[in-house]
Amino acid sequence: SIGMAARKKHRFPPIRIKKILQADEDVGRVSQSAPPVISVAIEQFLKTLMGAAADQMGDGVTTLAPTHLKRCIEADPKFDYLKEIVAAVQETAEADKPDAEKAAKKRKRATGPRAPRKAPKKEPKAEPEEAAAAA
């Protein structure tokens, strides 16, 4: 049984879940209580997957990268069915660098000499006398 709070607060839109279920020709009608249950199941799956991916991240790394997901999926047999999806993900050394090191590298690139700014071109305003004379 799902708690009242889980039924009222859907993290994943029940209407979208229902559309995905009905896209399968084997699924006929979908009861009103099925999408919220599936929403909770999706949330639990993501918590499990993100926990496993966090274990693959090194110390000081706070940004989750596709490489981390690929490693956790390849390391854990319960995620075997996802191996085809992550097969194309390429390993990058950048994913394992601590975020502070990445930020410092980015700052170093951004702090070079700046080109002087060009003043925006201003068009001369017509004098009120000239506008009246033109009319």
Side-chain angles (χ1 to χ4, degrees), residues 53-81:
D55 292 342
Q56 295 296 324
M57 295 168 61
D59 292 334
V61 178
T62 57
T63 304
L64 180 69
T67 302
H68 302 126
L69 290 168
K70 180 178 183 174
R71 289 181 196 157
C72 81
I73 288 169
E74 289 175 343
D76 196 334
K78 69 181 166 199
F79 296 127
D80 279 349
Y81 64 98

Side-chain angles (χ1 to χ4, degrees), residues 42-122:
I42 292 169
E43 188 174 349
Q44 292 300 317
F45 166 74
L46 287 175
K47 283 181 183 178
T48 303
L49 182 62
M50 293 304 104
D55 292 342
Q56 295 296 324
M57 295 168 61
D59 292 334
V61 178
T62 57
T63 304
L64 180 69
T67 302
H68 302 126
L69 290 168
K70 180 178 183 174
R71 289 181 196 157
C72 81
I73 288 169
E74 289 175 343
D76 196 334
K78 69 181 166 199
F79 296 127
D80 279 349
Y81 64 98
L82 297 171
K83 284 185 178 179
E84 280 183 36
I85 295 170
V86 297
V89 174
Q90 294 184 3
E91 290 284 330
T92 59
E94 188 72 20
D96 293 327
K97 289 183 182 176
D99 288 340
E101 188 178 319
K102 290 179 200 172
K105 189 175 182 182
K106 201 179 250 187
R107 274 194 306 273
K108 189 174 182 181
R109 277 187 278 161
T111 57
R114 277 192 146 166
R117 287 188 173 185
K118 292 182 181 178
K121 291 182 180 179
K122 293 183 180 180

Side-chain angles (χ1 to χ4, degrees), residues 15-68:
I15 293 171
R16 178 74 177 122
I17 293 171
K18 188 173 181 177
K19 284 181 182 179
I20 291 169
L21 291 173
Q22 288 177 332
D24 186 344
E25 59 189 48
D26 294 337
V27 176
R29 296 175 58 182
V30 177
S31 74
Q32 188 176 357
S33 61
V37 172
I38 293 170
S39 177
V40 172
I42 292 169
E43 188 174 349
Q44 292 300 317
F45 166 74
L46 287 175
K47 283 181 183 178
T48 303
L49 182 62
M50 293 304 104
D55 292 342
Q56 295 296 324
M57 295 168 61
D59 292 334
V61 178
T62 57
T63 304
L64 180 69
T67 302
H68 302 126

